[in-house]
Amino acid sequence: ADGMYPALIFYEYIITFGQEVELFWRGKLTGAVILFMANRYFSLGYWVYVTAVQFLPSENYSPSVRVPSEAIQHSTGRLLTENPQTCVH
């Protein structure tokens, strides 16, 4: 459901683009046209940003594999701490 709203927004932009060109781009530049364009393209930029952020890794993402210290203790007989210099035997 999270991706449905941006999909509808993008779909609406695609199907109304031809009308936008006819009615706004080829006409006289007025305050209403500027307001329309600002509203249309700032909101489009916002939804492009929101959609792109959904596909980026989060701040908690770590591409490295983390092995729990208990697994290391089991295989080595030692419990590793935060500081590798001080291992508990």
Side-chain angles (χ1 to χ4, degrees), residues 16-83:
T16 60
F17 185 73
Q19 292 174 333
E20 175 187 332
V21 169
E22 281 182 36
L23 299 173
F24 292 97
W25 289 18
R26 295 184 180 160
K28 184 177 162 186
L29 186 64
T30 65
V33 170
I34 292 170
L35 187 60
F36 171 81
M37 293 291 191
N39 180 48
R40 184 157 172 99
Y41 289 100
F42 281 131
S43 61
L44 178 64
Y46 170 78
W47 282 109
V48 167
Y49 170 77
V50 167
T51 303
V53 166
Q54 290 179 357
F55 293 103
L56 294 176
S58 70
E59 60 190 37
N60 296 329
Y61 174 77
S62 175
S64 63
V65 176
R66 297 199 178 252
V67 179
S69 60
E70 294 82 21
I72 296 171
Q73 179 184 13
H74 178 71
S75 65
T76 63
R78 297 183 295 172
L79 178 61
L80 297 179
T81 62
E82 289 292 321
N83 183 355

